[in-house]
Amino acid sequence: MNEIIDFFGRLVRGVLKLALGLAALVFLLGLLLATLVVVLGVTLWALITGRKPAPAVVFTRFRQTSQRYTQGVWPSGGARRPMGDVVDVQATEVPEPVEAPQRRNGPDPMARVMH
């Protein structure tokens, strides 16, 4: 009698493990599919708007920064790169803008901003 109970116990455990494994597989495939849909959507949106997707911009900046610092903070050899054209300009002061009188249209404090 004990062998029959052990057999059914192993059978139930095996079926339960199989069911949980299949559930995990379905979950992972659904997650992968959702990720693929989001990536395709962002790519299509980038093509429509003509802009690079934000993750591509972030990773490009990260790659450029890491390449800059692979040689060290200061370039070796002591040789400086040319800075380009230097233009001297005459400094002038910029006057403070004259504030316009504030008008309020009713009790709304944002009315003057929108008007």
Side-chain angles (χ1 to χ4, degrees):
M1 183 79 166
N2 201 13
E3 293 89 18
I4 295 174
I5 293 174
D6 287 341
F7 172 73
F8 282 121
R10 280 184 284 167
L11 183 66
V12 168
R13 277 193 300 260
V15 169
L16 188 60
K17 283 183 182 181
L18 185 64
L20 288 176
L22 286 175
L25 183 65
V26 167
F27 176 74
L28 288 176
L29 288 176
L31 190 62
L32 182 65
L33 182 66
T35 304
L36 184 64
V37 167
V38 168
V39 167
L40 287 175
V42 168
T43 303
L44 287 175
W45 184 254
L47 288 173
I48 291 171
T49 59
R51 298 184 192 174
K52 276 188 171 180
V57 172
V58 169
F59 286 121
T60 302
R61 287 182 186 165
F62 178 73
R63 186 172 42 249
Q64 289 172 350
T65 304
S66 65
Q67 286 174 355
R68 188 174 87 194
Y69 286 113
T70 54
Q71 302 166 350
V73 177
W74 306 107
S76 62
R80 292 185 175 216
R81 293 181 298 192
M83 297 287 287
D85 293 335
V86 177
V87 179
D88 283 336
V89 296
Q90 184 65 34
T92 59
E93 282 192 35
V94 178
E96 290 290 326
V98 178
E99 290 187 24
Q102 296 179 358
R103 297 186 337 194
R104 287 195 173 213
N105 294 339
D108 185 17
M110 293 301 291
R112 64 182 172 87
V113 175
M114 296 169 53
H115 184 46

